[in-house]
Amino acid sequence: MSVASRINPRSEAFARNAEHFANLLATLHERMAWAMRGGGDKLMQRHIERGKLPVRQRIDLLLDVGSPFLEIAPLAAWGLYDNEVPAAGIVAGIGLVEGVHCMIIANDATVKGGSFFRETVRKHVRAQDIALQNRLPCLYLVDCGGAYLPEQDQVFPDWGHFGTTFYNQCRMSAEGLPQLSAVFGGCTAGGAYIPALSDEAIIVQGTGRIHLGGPPIVKAAINEVVDGETLGGAAMHTRVSGVTDYLATDEKQALAKLRQIVRHLNMPWTPAVPARASLPPRFDPGEIGGIVGGNLKQPYDVREVLIRLVDDSELQEFKPEYGTTLVCAMAHLHGQPVGILANNGVLFSDSSVKGAHFIELCNQRNIPLLFLQNITGFMVGTEAERGGIAKHSAKLVYAMSTARVPRLTVLIGGSYGAGNYGMCGRGFAPNFLFAWPNSRIATMSPEVATTVLTELRKSSLKGVGAEAERVELARQTTEQFTRQSDPYYATARLWDDGIIEPSQTRDVLGLCLQLLAQGIPRVTGPSPVFRM
């Protein structure tokens, strides 16, 4: 049934919240502009003068006209390296090419020559993980200087570093997921393996180069003096070495060729047909900021958010009178079915058991799960412990972890402690995880952390100067937890797949659900519901 709203958009409280959230969105827009500017005007102009297109223009030409592009982690590396590595030097996301959903991974050579930093590798690997999980071809737009050598210990030796990207390419190709490359610039050292390990590779004449060791390395290793074009130019690799399969005269021709290859992939997919017609919400998603505001201590009914996200504002709420701090509801989003678990307060034993029961229902019915996190954690205290909160919270964690249906997570407020775990945080591998600009994530809030640490230290802080030391400890703890729980701190380190606006959430989740519906087979085998 459609749910009525109790929100008054003309109220003073709504106006205050809306103004506060508008400031959060202004900050998000400003930082997104940083991510999209690449290496800056000077380096971008030099890039263009070399006959090369900006990385986002390459993607636009590759995608089907008018189709959406779901970008992954655009604010990676924000606040790191003196903000000199916008978007971690790589653009990644899902888009339609010749009607086929593809993962596109594109180096931005205006950012440190397209070199790989720690966050660049994490973003590249995350994009490949999404492609593997959702059975997507990978299209690599290569303009890569290899590992950023001053950071070599962070990008080279370990699992999840540069070598893992090549391992993933091999594994995906072996599983029938096409790996295709177009080379637009120099691909040196590890960068050379991206096209070399691809099923098919295109290279642009005049700018594209591939060599395991560039001219300086060749001279140092074997004292041979050779220019870059002779060593690894487009004509040589297409006509002599056979490393690349197609020679393009310019970038637009290379992108057209890449589209042609995708057209003939013969991918065994059919477009996902929505379960029913998509109907817009009856209430304006643009009002969400006025409901939520920026103060995480300010309570609100999460149903007011839900009816501004789901089709026709219709919710089939499960156990509405029981375990009321967790709202569980069946709904449709852009025509696709979804089971929603949304926090409406701290998780008690009854809400935990209710959530576990609801997850099993969705699992049985093959309905994807959507977790909306705004959670301080599970209830603590003598009464809660005697009531078995550890056991009952574990049931929710277990049901969520073993669910065989796709899982999506959005941080719409606080994400603290074990509440992050029970509500499918990053550590539990949701298919996608996004955050709102008002969100926070940490083991606990700055206020709680400060109280806990100062109480723990109280017994050892004695004598002259003890009070000053306690005040300084409180200040340092508050500063640390405030800084580290900031959503930009999180997204810079790829703890999520991107910060999105509340008004964009419906469409972002709709794209994800459509992708999941066509790429993941139905659950098979027994899936009983255990009423815990």
Side-chain angles (χ1 to χ4, degrees):
M1 68 179 176
S2 297
V3 180
S5 175
R6 298 179 181 178
I7 293 296
N8 178 9
R10 297 180 183 85
S11 70
E12 185 178 331
F14 184 94
R16 282 197 306 270
N17 283 344
E19 181 181 6
H20 189 107
F21 215 94
N23 292 332
L24 294 177
L25 293 180
T27 299
L28 175 61
H29 296 160
E30 177 185 315
R31 294 179 180 182
M32 285 295 293
W34 163 85
M36 299 184 74
R37 73 177 176 85
D41 295 341
K42 182 178 179 180
L43 290 173
M44 184 65 72
Q45 185 58 37
R46 188 172 71 179
H47 183 82
I48 293 170
E49 288 172 355
R50 291 173 173 171
K52 301 168 76 173
L53 298 173
V55 63
R56 294 178 185 276
Q57 190 174 342
R58 289 170 180 164
I59 292 172
D60 287 343
L61 290 171
L62 179 62
L63 294 174
D64 294 349
V65 176
S67 64
F69 180 62
L70 180 60
E71 187 168 350
I72 303 300
L75 291 172
W78 163 262
L80 303 173
Y81 314 108
D82 297 321
N83 262 357
E84 293 181 354
V85 191
I90 193 169
V91 180
I94 301 165
L96 281 174
V97 179
E98 293 291 337
V100 177
H101 279 110
C102 297
M103 175 59 74
I104 299 167
I105 302 174
N107 305 110
D108 186 351
T110 69
V111 179
K112 303 295 184 182
S115 297
F116 275 67
F117 290 71
R118 177 176 62 249
E119 292 71 26
T120 318
V121 177
R122 288 201 63 182
K123 187 170 176 178
H124 191 117
V125 170
R126 173 60 184 152
Q128 290 179 317
D129 287 344
I130 292 172
L132 179 59
Q133 191 173 45
N134 295 285
R135 315 301 298 169
L136 304 177
C138 285
L139 311 184
Y140 302 92
L141 308 187
V142 194
D143 204 343
C144 173
Y148 184 66
L149 294 181
E151 293 279 316
Q152 69 87 24
D153 65 322
Q154 300 294 318
V155 300
F156 174 69
D158 198 5
W159 174 259
H161 286 181
F162 211 173
T164 302
T165 69
F166 309 136
Y167 173 82
N168 287 344
Q169 271 189 260
C170 297
R171 299 284 297 188
M172 283 192 284
S173 178
E175 291 192 24
L177 300 177
Q179 306 293 296
L180 309 174
S181 291
V183 178
F184 299 101
C187 300
T188 304
Y193 280 114
I194 300 174
L197 288 170
S198 293
D199 304 332
E200 293 181 79
I202 307 158
I203 191 167
V204 178
Q205 190 166 9
T207 56
R209 291 180 185 173
I210 301 171
H211 28 62
L212 289 181
I217 294 178
V218 171
K219 187 175 188 305
I222 62 173
N223 202 31
E224 178 185 347
V225 178
V226 62
D227 64 272
E229 189 66 23
T230 302
L231 181 65
M236 190 281 289
H237 276 309
T238 308
R239 296 168 181 160
V240 179
S241 74
V243 170
T244 53
D245 306 297
Y246 308 99
L247 181 65
T249 57
D250 59 28
E251 294 198 4
K252 290 183 178 180
Q253 188 181 71
L255 293 165
K257 184 65 180 178
L258 190 53
R259 285 181 55 83
Q260 184 185 49
I261 295 171
V262 173
R263 190 183 314 143
H264 293 281
L265 286 178
N266 191 32
M267 296 300 292
W269 292 347
T270 56
V273 178
R276 67 180 192 182
S278 174
L279 297 173
R282 297 190 182 196
F283 303 97
D284 183 6
E287 295 176 343
I288 293 176
I291 297 167
V292 173
N295 182 3
L296 297 184
K297 296 179 181 179
Q298 175 183 291
Y300 62 87
D301 188 348
V302 76
R303 296 173 185 84
E304 295 287 355
V305 172
L306 298 183
I307 62 176
R308 287 164 173 81
L309 294 178
V310 302
D311 289 2
D312 200 33
S313 301
E314 182 186 358
L315 297 171
Q316 169 55 43
E317 192 170 345
F318 175 69
K319 284 185 178 290
E321 308 298 326
Y322 180 81
T324 54
T325 59
L326 182 65
V327 174
C328 300
M330 302 290 188
H332 284 76
L333 211 157
H334 278 291
Q336 300 289 354
V338 63
I340 302 170
L341 295 93
N343 298 122
N344 223 17
V346 66
L347 286 165
F348 292 87
S349 288
D350 55 359
S351 46
S352 300
V353 172
K354 169 182 167 179
H357 186 170
F358 181 74
I359 288 170
E360 290 190 340
L361 289 175
C362 293
N363 208 36
Q364 183 191 62
R365 299 169 188 176
N366 211 61
I367 297 174
L369 294 163
L370 169 60
F371 296 84
L372 298 182
Q373 288 196 16
N374 182 23
I375 180 66
T376 55
F378 292 98
M379 190 61 189
V380 297
T382 303
E383 184 177 350
E385 296 294 354
R386 289 173 67 88
I389 187 64
K391 173 179 64 177
H392 295 305
S393 64
K395 291 175 183 177
L396 178 60
V397 172
Y398 186 92
M400 175 275 299
S401 300
T402 58
R404 292 183 288 175
V405 293
R407 295 166 299 148
L408 306 171
T409 303
V410 184
L411 276 56
I412 66 171
S415 177
Y416 294 119
N420 169 278
Y421 296 165
M423 291 294 292
C424 198
R426 187 66 139 185
F428 294 82
N431 295 68
F432 293 94
L433 186 150
F434 300 99
W436 284 359
N438 63 313
S439 65
R440 295 292 185 272
I441 180 169
T443 52
M444 57 189 71
S445 69
E447 297 82 5
V448 173
T450 299
T451 300
V452 169
L453 287 178
T454 52
E455 284 294 318
L456 289 173
R457 290 286 301 277
K458 185 180 291 185
S459 60
S460 62
L461 295 176
K462 298 177 181 178
V464 179
E467 178 60 19
E469 188 175 347
R470 187 195 67 78
V471 170
E472 177 60 16
L473 173 63
R475 186 197 67 78
Q476 291 178 0
T477 303
T478 301
E479 186 280 329
Q480 176 192 352
F481 274 75
T482 300
R483 174 173 50 86
Q484 293 180 350
S485 63
D486 186 85
Y488 296 98
Y489 187 96
T491 202
R493 292 157 177 79
L494 286 101
W495 298 351
D496 56 53
D497 293 319
I499 298 176
I500 59 176
E501 301 181 29
S503 60
Q504 297 173 328
T505 304
R506 170 178 163 82
D507 291 338
V508 169
L509 293 176
L511 287 171
C512 293
L513 287 169
Q514 181 190 41
L515 181 70
L516 294 167
Q518 75 173 32
I520 294 182
R522 290 187 61 84
V523 170
T524 57
S527 184
V529 176
F530 175 51
R531 297 179 63 89
M532 290 183 275

